[in-house]
Amino acid sequence: MFNPEPIDTKDIVLSPELKELTEKIAENVHNVWAKNRINEGWKYGAKRDEDKKETPCLVPYSQLPEIEKDYDRNTALETLKVIISLGYKIEK
């Protein structure tokens, strides 16, 4: 059985600048996901339907429900925290 063990980032504190970056990364995560889905033949649909390849999430990031945005935000946030926890520095 698979037992995921992500890198522990609970002690990583992001600077205000990196926190701001999180939303931009989250939007890009959504756009990459959406582009891949479209390339796989998915299209917008009111309800998710695997057989018809339809999903209500094929909309611009700004139109996603907050629960979907939070999923992308968490991915972005954890990615930034992992980068820092591995000793890298992010500079503009």
Side-chain angles (χ1 to χ4, degrees):
M1 176 177 211
F2 175 58
N3 184 24
E5 294 185 30
I7 294 171
D8 183 2
T9 62
K10 70 178 177 280
D11 294 332
I12 302 296
V13 178
L14 297 180
S15 68
E17 293 83 14
L18 289 181
K19 284 183 182 177
E20 288 179 24
L21 181 58
T22 300
E23 193 69 12
K24 291 186 183 296
I25 293 173
E27 183 172 0
N28 194 64
V29 166
H30 173 69
N31 288 335
V32 169
W33 171 86
K35 186 172 184 166
N36 288 335
R37 285 290 183 256
I38 290 167
N39 288 342
E40 293 168 355
W42 285 73
K43 58 186 184 257
Y44 174 83
K47 292 192 292 188
R48 183 174 173 86
D49 186 319
E50 295 276 334
D51 294 328
K52 292 181 182 178
K53 289 190 170 182
E54 292 180 349
T55 176
C57 293
L58 278 178
V59 295
Y61 182 77
S62 62
Q63 294 176 18
L64 284 176
E66 283 301 311
I67 193 164
E68 294 294 336
K69 287 181 182 180
D70 285 343
Y71 184 85
D72 293 331
R73 287 176 184 134
N74 187 57
T75 299
L77 184 67
E78 285 302 312
T79 299
L80 288 170
K81 286 182 170 187
V82 164
I83 291 168
I84 291 168
S85 75
L86 293 174
Y88 291 91
K89 294 185 190 295
I90 302 171
E91 296 179 348
K92 185 173 182 179

